[in-house]
């Protein structure tokens, strides 16, 4: 019989306690290996020098419409999701198409911690210490063919475990896409954990994309399919409201969402009197990624 | 004594100030919850949403009083002014949270009001409510005479705009705002039907008379 998890989030040991225990165990850092890493690793040059939100914030306030449209629905409902076994179908313009098991994927990549800003299109933001590997590593393993120009992604479609998929809030399965140069960029991460935990289910377990210079909905969760293609892929929010959600969806304080301004953001975790702060071009990653869009009209290609 | 009579007798014993007190304290209770973490890690949006929803609920309750009396005989008319005034109070606190805690920046507030349709709609609803709140007193009723009733029909466009505002806030078509809209349209639809019946019976006095006689 398959292992059934009966533990609830309330059963999780508070991070502070758990860190103390880790200190007691001294060099037993190897225990945390697997999906997530301990802070033993050196800081990545791609990490921002900001204090990450506590795990409690990151796991309590989510948009993951597969589990409901409310911010706490994912935390309430995601426990229903089975993430083991898990495999990713890689197809389209690749030399080695096929179904790649998660363990097999992880054996052939280098995991590292990346502390990234995360900016939601709804104008809230967090700082998240992801653990993951560069998407590039997986794409190179599958062998991207010269004709490929885009990468399309799909989330798991399993309405019996994802109650939101039994409603028609969005067209399922959730789809996202990147241009190939965006997908191959070293900032583009396939994340498998947060802090030293395997990816919490409400955050897109076991494998999700993180593209820190784009609005959060581009960072598709619980990925089961990656397709290399020469056509701009369909993306879920763009299919719903093309005027509001463009294919690129780069964070841009100068391009308003038709229904609200994107000039400012509210960092989560500041309580009732948290100050708004200015949103940065490309979410603060302009030095790394602005050149990808040289000569492009960022209003038209929003 | 019928059930309706019993309900009405009990209701007559409830002083209106009780309703005012509960209503006045309700936003303070929500603020306390937001400040102490009971509303989660983004308490501002949660509080703003709770207050807006409370205002819309109060509007709907106010709108339901007449049909409730006509259909069931339960009479809440004594409380209607209090419900109206409280509605305005709830929506004012909703607006205040949006201004002070959410948007914070004056230039952004003005831009939002002009450029964001759902905020324009919400602000329009608030402006329509304002004269109603100001004239919710006996002096105004006397002073304005029959035009007081006409003025207070502004509550109909107000509630419609409120319902539309709620629908427009969501990123997708969410179920709850649509349910609110369905209730609003039912309550307004009932009034349209009643008004039609009335004008029909005025045009055909015999039919109207026979209905009264029966």
């Amino acid at each position: 019989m398959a292992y059934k998890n009966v533990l609830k989030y309330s059963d999780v040991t508070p991070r502070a306690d758990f860190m103390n225990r880790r200190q007691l165990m001294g060099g037993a850092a190897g225990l945390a290996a697997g999906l997530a890493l301990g802070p033993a690793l050196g800081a990545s040059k791609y990490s921002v020098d900001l204090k990450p939100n506590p795990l409690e914030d990151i796991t309590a306030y989510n948009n993951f419409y597969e589990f409901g449209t409310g911010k706490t629905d994912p935390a309430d409902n995601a426990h229903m999701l089975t993430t083991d076994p898990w495999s990713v179908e890689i197809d389209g313009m690749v030399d080695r198409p096929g179904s790649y098991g998660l363990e097999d994927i992880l054996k052939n990549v280098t995991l590292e911690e990346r502390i990234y800003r995360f900016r939601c299109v709804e104008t809230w933001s967090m700082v998240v210490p992801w653990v993951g590997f560069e998407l590039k590593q997986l794409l190179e393993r599958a062998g991207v063919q010269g004709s490929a120009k885009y990468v399309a992604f799909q989330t798991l479609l399993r309405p019996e475990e994802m109650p939101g998929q039994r409603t028609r809030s969005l067209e399922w399965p959730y789809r996202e896409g990147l241009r190939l140069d965006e997908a191959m960029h070293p900032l583009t991460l396939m994340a498998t954990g947060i802090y030293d935990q395997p990816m919490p289910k409400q955050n897109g377990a076991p494998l999700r994309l993180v593209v820190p210079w784009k609005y959060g909905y581009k960072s598709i969760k619980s990925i089961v399919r990656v397709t290399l293609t020469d056509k701009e892929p369909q993306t879920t929010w763009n299919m719903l409201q093309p005027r509001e959600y463009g294919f690129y969806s780069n964070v841009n304080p100068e391009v308003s969402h038709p229904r609200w301004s994107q000039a400012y953001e509210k960092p989560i975790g500041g309580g009732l009197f948290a100050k708004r702060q200015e949103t940065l071009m490309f979410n603060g990653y302009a030095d790394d990624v602005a050149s990808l869009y040289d000569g492009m009209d960022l209003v038209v290609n929003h | 004594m019928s059930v309706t009579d019993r309900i009405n007798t009990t209701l007559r014993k409830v002083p209106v100030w009780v309703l005012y007190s509960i209503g006045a304290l309700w936003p303070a209770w929500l603020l306390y919850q937001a400040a102490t973490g009971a509303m989660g890690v983004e308490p501002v949006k949660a509080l703003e949403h709770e207050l807006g929803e409370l205002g819309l609920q109060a509007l709907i309750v106010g709108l339901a009083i007449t049909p409730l009396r006509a259909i069931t005989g339960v009479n809440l008319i004594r409380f209607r002014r209090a419900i109206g005034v409280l509605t305005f109070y709830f929506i004012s606190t909703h607006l205040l949270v949006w201004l002070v805690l959410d948007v914070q920046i004056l230039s952004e507030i003005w831009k939002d009001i002009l450029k964001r349709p759902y905020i324009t709609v919400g602000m329009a609803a608030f402006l329509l409510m304002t004269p109603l709140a100001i004239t919710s007193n006996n002096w105004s009723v006397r002073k304005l005479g029959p035009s007081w009733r006409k003025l207070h029909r502004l509550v109909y466009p107000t509630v419609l705009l409120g319902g539309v505002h709620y629908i427009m806030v969501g990123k997708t078509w969410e179920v709850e705002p649509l349910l609110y809209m369905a209730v609003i349209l039912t309550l307004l639809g009932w009034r349209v039907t009643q008004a039609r019946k009335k004008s029909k019976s005025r045009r055909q006095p015999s039919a109207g008379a026979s209905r009264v006689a029966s």
Side-chain angles (χ1 to χ4, degrees):
Chain A
M1 209 180 98
Y3 169 68
K4 261 228 163 98
N5 190 357
V6 291
L7 294 173
K8 289 193 288 293
Y9 186 67
S10 54
D11 297 319
V12 173
T13 308
R15 185 174 151 74
D17 302 356
F18 151 77
M19 288 308 285
N20 284 338
R21 243 172 270 161
R22 284 172 52 96
Q23 277 157 9
L24 285 175
M25 290 192 293
L31 281 176
L35 295 173
L37 290 176
L41 266 146
S44 162
K45 64 170 176 165
Y46 294 110
S47 285
V48 290
D49 191 16
L50 292 169
K51 190 176 178 294
N53 282 75
L55 189 64
E56 292 74 34
D57 290 0
I58 300 168
T59 52
Y61 196 77
N62 306 98
N63 278 325
F64 197 171
Y65 279 29
E66 279 79 347
F67 295 105
T69 55
K71 291 285 176 294
T72 53
D73 289 344
D76 291 339
N77 298 329
H79 63 90
M80 295 182 231
L81 179 67
T82 316
T83 56
D84 186 18
W86 195 273
S87 60
V88 180
E89 183 76 26
I90 304 182
D91 58 9
M93 297 168 168
V94 287
D95 296 332
R96 291 172 286 280
S99 176
Y100 289 70
L102 183 63
E103 275 175 37
D104 174 48
I105 290 174
L106 291 173
K107 252 185 267 159
N108 292 283
V109 295
T110 318
L111 290 180
E112 56 179 305
E113 184 186 58
R114 294 277 179 96
I115 301 171
Y116 281 166
R117 298 169 192 275
F118 184 92
R119 170 61 156 78
C120 178
V121 73
E122 297 165 343
T123 75
W124 54 267
S125 66
M126 291 195 194
V127 177
V128 184
W130 304 106
V131 173
F133 57 91
E134 289 176 11
L135 172 61
K136 187 181 172 184
Q137 295 181 42
L138 181 62
L139 295 181
E140 280 174 351
R141 188 173 164 210
V144 178
Q145 294 176 350
S147 48
K149 292 191 180 74
Y150 295 92
V151 188
F153 303 87
Q154 268 182 27
T155 295
L156 177 72
L157 179 67
R158 196 182 284 163
E160 60 277 20
E161 292 183 3
M162 296 175 134
Q165 288 180 340
R166 288 176 236 148
T167 74
R168 294 171 61 186
S169 57
L170 294 173
E171 204 178 319
W172 312 113
Y174 193 88
R175 274 155 269 197
E176 259 310 333
L178 295 172
R179 221 168 53 188
L180 187 60
D181 57 344
E182 298 174 325
M184 299 297 273
H185 194 279
L187 278 171
T188 303
L189 201 70
M190 279 294 225
T192 56
I194 298 175
Y195 282 109
D196 37 19
Q197 314 257 325
M199 185 63 70
K201 290 183 177 176
Q202 60 266 45
N203 296 86
L207 187 68
R208 65 168 290 172
L209 188 68
V210 181
V211 193
W213 72 91
K214 293 175 181 281
Y215 292 118
Y217 59 88
K218 292 296 287 184
S219 293
I220 181 171
K221 303 184 180 85
S222 304
I223 297 167
V224 292
R225 190 165 178 206
V226 177
T227 308
L228 276 290
T229 161
D230 57 358
K231 289 182 190 65
E232 187 181 285
Q234 282 194 312
T235 60
T236 297
W237 283 98
N238 181 257
M239 287 155 68
L240 182 81
Q241 279 283 3
R243 212 168 68 87
E244 299 188 350
Y245 311 100
F247 173 77
Y248 286 93
S249 296
N250 293 319
V251 175
N252 188 340
E254 286 149 34
V255 178
S256 289
H257 183 281
R259 285 185 285 153
W260 55 81
S261 161
Q262 294 291 20
Y264 294 87
E265 66 199 52
K266 176 77 74 66
I268 294 292
L272 207 46
F273 302 104
K275 279 266 159 280
R276 285 209 170 202
Q277 62 187 41
E278 288 186 16
T279 286
L280 303 171
M281 190 65 201
F282 294 113
N283 200 24
Y285 296 94
D287 289 348
D288 299 294
V289 300
S291 60
L292 296 177
Y293 310 100
D294 276 345
M296 270 176 74
D297 184 332
L298 296 178
V299 178
V300 177
N301 299 293
H302 65 88
Chain B
M1 205 160 71
S2 76
V3 181
T4 313
D5 288 339
R6 228 174 291 159
I7 292 172
N8 283 336
T9 312
T10 315
L11 282 172
R12 261 194 294 277
K13 288 181 200 147
V14 180
V16 177
W17 64 259
V18 172
L19 189 59
Y20 273 117
S21 315
I22 296 171
L25 290 174
W26 200 258
W29 164 241
L30 293 177
L31 182 69
Y32 170 78
Q33 286 187 299
T36 53
M39 284 196 190
V41 296
E42 219 306 44
V44 175
K45 283 279 179 212
L47 180 64
E48 190 177 284
H49 177 86
E50 289 283 332
L51 288 168
E53 205 171 55
L54 186 63
L56 198 56
Q57 286 163 353
L59 257 175
I60 289 171
V61 170
L63 212 59
I65 288 175
T66 302
L68 185 72
R69 187 174 59 163
I71 296 164
T72 70
V74 171
N75 189 352
L76 291 167
I77 213 91
R78 267 176 70 231
F79 301 103
R80 192 161 68 174
R81 176 181 290 171
I83 289 167
V85 171
L86 285 171
T87 300
F88 184 73
Y89 165 63
F90 295 151
I91 296 300
S92 302
T93 56
H94 169 66
L95 183 61
L96 214 62
V97 167
W98 177 72
L99 291 172
V100 179
L101 298 178
D102 190 357
V103 187
Q104 300 171 358
I105 299 147
L106 208 61
S107 60
E108 287 292 308
I109 290 169
W110 192 235
K111 259 195 260 172
D112 270 0
I113 292 173
L114 295 178
K115 282 175 63 182
R116 315 285 160 220
Y118 79 90
I119 298 200
T120 317
V121 166
M123 281 306 290
F126 179 74
L127 290 181
L128 287 180
M129 285 177 86
T130 309
L132 308 190
I134 294 171
T135 57
S136 285
N137 51 70
N138 291 340
W139 184 81
S140 296
V141 176
R142 274 197 307 274
K143 192 84 183 164
L144 293 171
S147 46
W148 188 92
R149 285 181 72 91
K150 261 191 207 155
L151 176 70
H152 278 247
R153 284 192 194 133
L154 281 178
V155 74
Y156 305 142
T158 301
V159 71
L160 267 179
L161 289 174
V164 170
H165 169 73
Y166 190 14
I167 291 174
M168 288 172 81
V169 171
K171 284 201 326 217
T172 55
W173 294 98
E174 287 183 36
V175 179
E176 225 180 311
L178 292 176
L179 288 177
Y180 274 82
M181 197 45 141
V183 173
I184 290 168
L185 290 177
T186 308
L187 290 171
L188 293 181
W190 180 84
R191 282 176 167 78
V192 173
T193 318
Q194 292 302 108
R196 278 218 192 112
K197 268 191 205 156
K198 234 188 226 168
S199 68
K200 216 180 193 177
S201 65
R202 260 205 300 272
R203 267 183 275 125
Q204 303 166 297
S206 58
S210 70
R211 199 168 56 219
V212 170
S214 67

